[in-house]
Amino acid sequence: LFVSQAAITGESAILEKSSRTLGYGNPETLTQLENLAFMATTVISGKGEGVVLAVGKDTLYGSFAKPDAEEKTSFQQGANSIAWVMLRFIAVLVPSVFLLFGITGGKWLQSFAFSLSVAVGLMPEMLPMVITACLARGSLSMSRKQTIIKDINAMQGFGSMDVLCMDKTGTLTNESILLEYYMDVLGNESGEALDLAFLNSIYHSGVRNPIDSAIRACQTMPGRELHFGRLLTEHQKVDEIPFDYARKIVSTLVTGPEGENQLIMKGDIAHIISRCSHVAYRGKVLPMEDGGQSVSSVVNEMLQDGMKVIAVARKNVGQQTQIAPADEADMILVGYLAFFDAPKKTAKASVEALKRLKVTPKILTGDQTDVAVSVCRRVGISAETVVTGGELDEMTDSELRAAVEKIHVFAELTPGQKVRLVSVLEQNGHTVGFLGDGINDIPALCEANVGISVDTAVDAAKDAADVVLLQKDLGVLEQGILEGRKTFTNMLKYIKITASSNFGNILSIVCASAFLPFLPMTALQLLLLNLLYDVLCIILPWDNVDDEETLSPRDWSGKTLGRFMLSFGPISSLFDIATFLFLYYVLCPMLCGGMTYLHLADPALQLQYVALFQTGWFLESMWTQVLILHFLRTRKLPFLQSRPSAPVMCTTLAGIALFTGITFTRTAALFGLTELPHWYFGFLLIVVLLYMLLTTVVKAFYQKKYRELI
């Protein structure tokens, strides 16, 4: 019984199954056991009768079913951690504002309403819209780069992915194999071995396999077209014995230019040698010595290097026009052909690009160890130590968690073992991407933070994936990672900058509530300020991103959000308090009879005093909030070393002009605002410049201490 286990292991090799009892010390993995046949594998030929050992989900194939929807991505977890940071700030600030204003003003109902507006003001109201806009724009950009985003949340996964697990076939290597060497019995280049193999491949009528395709491709080699054309003219097919899995060889009978017929045989080395009694070497035919031990010494090195090696033999049969399996004896061994699963031309450069992006490539393959090691060495993936599926099963979880950090190549794996590796990497704190295209890859695609497939994959794999590449090339994936990080960075800009600005405003309100006899800003004004600012922030998805921000994975969580808020929020509070003092003791008294609020007896003047104060802080808060976007959006000096995109620049400047102009219209009265003297804007400009200068200094110290900004 011969079967293909491609659906399980991804390997196209045909395996023979038998009822032979195996010993307990057998080192083979489960899928290599010849007395087990698996559900979903394909019968190629033969027949068999067996006993059912497992059904349904207990079968190896049955475990491939896509699991129930779980919180597999770090996107939801990161969003939850950010929300908890904001809730902790609200839990502290809202009661503080309520108590302070209630005690000082005595108006508890008004204090309660204002404290609720503080809670709303602290939260980045446009967070869902800005994040959705960032993800949508990123998905659209990636579609132009041959990458289709099925799950929009996967954009964040691209930004934070630091480990990429993949099979080698079709990703690092081409779908086809290449003829690497053609040699005589001692390893010297032999044109005769290639010619005989070419005639055999051209004339046999059985199913073409990758080896035949690689041999036939030789006729298109530059300068060899005439040679192979003449070879076909001089040799005509007479008869053949098709390939079968018992013999593991294919034989063709061709007539030579001198009229003698020649039997040409190629196939498995062991089966060819067992039919040979002589060897051909430099024009001489010599008896085969020591049962072919010299053969082993020549081919072993190539086999260990991951190459596929076949043997070629010949025999003159005179005028015989028909051949039978009995004729496949007393052959003359001519030489060998070595084939290599060649890496793609772009593979090495793509692997280096992933490493530059701080994404660690790991190979999880069902192929044999030697083949995997050979390919990995050629593309620059460390393969000094390889763990096989059998060794993996013997490891405890703690041993595997340590090993998976150091080892980058895992071979002879079952689908379940791939899932275990992906899961262990996630438990170690990595954001894991998995690139797969077969049915056997579905469990790992579902388990990974980002499941990546290709357009040529089986439908089930594409359904399970979050991302589909239109080209099976790591170069396309590299572009996707860069775009994901740009999207991720723009999301973080809004969250961190808005949260710190809002925190600064609320902190200023808490301080002002302690000594002002009135609200520094009404609840309506506070909500209006946040609304106007957030409307401007919708343009952030279209902002430029510094190259430095895309060089390493980004962490989507609230770990650093609180630190960022506490570092930059109080800076705005410092200048808010300076503005409070100027408004309370200078501007408002100048326009209200020279007296402060507590000394005014006229209710109309008191209302004017409050309106002037609230308008002055409204403008200062809006100017600083909008302009600080440009200073905290980059680690570099804004405008000089890092320029915002034209839409961001135009929108923010137009927003400041428009919203400042509101205070000079009748609409201002609806919000309790009023017109201010023009000379106030001179003071406002000085405050903003000093605020930007201090923010730049603090930013430099923050980066030096924590090695991060956005």
Side-chain angles (χ1 to χ4, degrees), residues 615-623 659-660 663 676 680-681 684:
T615 304
W617 188 42
F618 179 88
L619 289 175
E620 185 266 347
S621 184
M622 184 190 64
W623 278 42
F659 300 146
T660 301
T663 61
L676 292 175
Y680 172 73
F681 292 95
L684 192 56

Side-chain angles (χ1 to χ4, degrees), residues 393-554:
D393 286 337
E394 296 176 359
M395 288 184 174
T396 63
D397 287 343
S398 59
E399 290 173 340
L400 186 57
R401 291 185 66 171
V404 78
E405 297 295 328
K406 303 175 183 178
I407 299 171
H408 304 295
V409 182
F410 299 84
E412 302 174 21
L413 300 178
T414 64
Q417 290 168 337
K418 292 181 181 180
V419 171
R420 185 184 176 197
L421 284 166
V422 171
S423 177
V424 166
L425 284 166
E426 291 173 347
Q427 292 170 20
N428 284 359
H430 296 287
T431 300
V432 184
F434 185 87
L435 176 58
D437 62 355
I439 293 177
N440 56 311
D441 293 321
I442 292 175
L445 285 170
C446 296
E447 178 66 27
N449 298 118
V450 185
I452 308 166
S453 192
V454 292
D455 191 39
T456 56
V458 298
D459 291 341
K462 288 190 287 187
D463 289 341
D466 304 308
V467 179
V468 177
L469 306 181
L470 299 184
Q471 294 181 15
K472 198 169 185 180
D473 189 343
L474 289 181
V476 175
L477 191 58
E478 174 196 350
Q479 294 300 315
I481 292 172
L482 287 172
E483 193 62 45
R485 290 181 181 176
K486 290 178 182 177
T487 300
F488 189 59
T489 300
N490 282 334
M491 286 193 299
L492 285 181
K493 286 179 185 178
Y494 173 77
I495 295 170
K496 285 192 170 183
I497 298 173
T498 303
S500 64
S501 297
N502 289 354
F503 172 64
N505 285 342
I506 302 306
L507 187 61
S508 301
I509 290 174
V510 173
C511 295
S513 299
F515 68 88
L516 284 179
F518 53 85
L519 286 174
M521 192 181 292
T522 66
L524 182 61
Q525 291 166 355
L526 183 60
L527 295 177
L528 176 65
L529 175 66
N530 279 275
L531 177 63
L532 297 178
Y533 169 76
D534 284 328
V535 167
L536 296 180
C537 286
I538 294 177
I539 200 65
L540 276 180
W542 287 264
D543 190 20
N544 295 331
V545 175
D546 297 337
D547 292 339
E548 291 81 355
E549 300 296 338
T550 63
L551 294 180
S552 59
R554 309 301 306 275

Side-chain angles (χ1 to χ4, degrees), residues 42-185:
T42 305
V43 175
I44 303 300
S45 66
K47 62 181 180 179
E49 182 178 342
V51 178
V52 175
L53 300 180
V55 296
K57 292 185 178 180
D58 293 329
T59 65
L60 185 61
Y61 183 82
S63 64
F64 290 7
K66 188 171 183 178
D68 295 334
E70 297 177 356
E71 201 172 86
K72 67 162 187 161
T73 67
S74 57
F75 184 84
Q76 294 90 342
Q77 298 170 4
N80 289 342
S81 68
I82 290 171
W84 277 111
V85 170
M86 301 305 300
L87 288 173
R88 283 194 288 268
F89 275 93
I90 289 174
V92 173
L93 289 174
V94 171
S96 302
V97 172
F98 173 68
L99 292 174
L100 280 172
F101 186 70
I103 293 172
T104 56
K107 301 177 181 179
W108 292 98
L109 186 60
Q110 187 179 3
S111 175
F112 177 73
F114 186 71
S115 63
L116 291 181
S117 68
V118 166
V120 176
L122 185 61
M123 290 295 290
E125 293 90 347
M126 291 290 183
L127 182 60
M129 181 178 288
V130 171
I131 286 181
T132 302
C134 282
L135 295 175
R137 183 187 177 276
S139 299
L140 186 61
S141 297
M142 290 180 70
S143 68
R144 302 190 188 104
K145 297 178 180 179
Q146 305 295 303
T147 304
I148 303 300
I149 305 298
K150 290 178 56 189
D151 182 356
I152 197 171
N153 290 343
M155 283 298 303
Q156 178 273 332
F158 266 121
S160 56
M161 182 172 68
D162 61 343
V163 173
L164 175 63
C165 299
M166 55 190 167
D167 197 351
K168 65 168 190 61
T169 306
T171 305
L172 297 178
T173 62
N174 296 297
E175 300 289 350
S176 58
I177 62 175
L178 298 178
L179 175 61
E180 188 81 358
Y181 304 112
Y182 42 94
M183 66 204 85
D184 60 22
V185 291

Side-chain angles (χ1 to χ4, degrees), residues 313-389:
R314 64 172 172 82
K315 182 174 71 170
N316 290 331
V317 294
Q319 301 302 314
Q320 184 176 334
T321 58
Q322 290 184 338
I323 53 175
D327 296 313
E328 297 175 327
D330 296 323
M331 301 290 294
I332 301 171
L333 180 64
V334 176
Y336 325 104
L337 273 66
F339 302 86
F340 180 55
D341 199 4
K344 291 182 177 179
K345 294 180 179 179
T346 59
K348 188 169 185 178
S350 298
V351 169
E352 291 300 322
L354 288 174
K355 291 179 179 179
R356 285 197 302 273
L357 294 173
K358 306 293 176 60
V359 177
T360 303
K362 292 186 182 291
I363 301 300
L364 277 57
T365 180
D367 286 350
Q368 299 298 311
T369 301
D370 290 339
V371 176
V373 169
S374 176
V375 173
C376 291
R377 284 175 178 168
R378 285 170 167 78
V379 299
I381 296 178
S382 175
E384 296 177 358
T385 306
V386 180
V387 172
T388 65

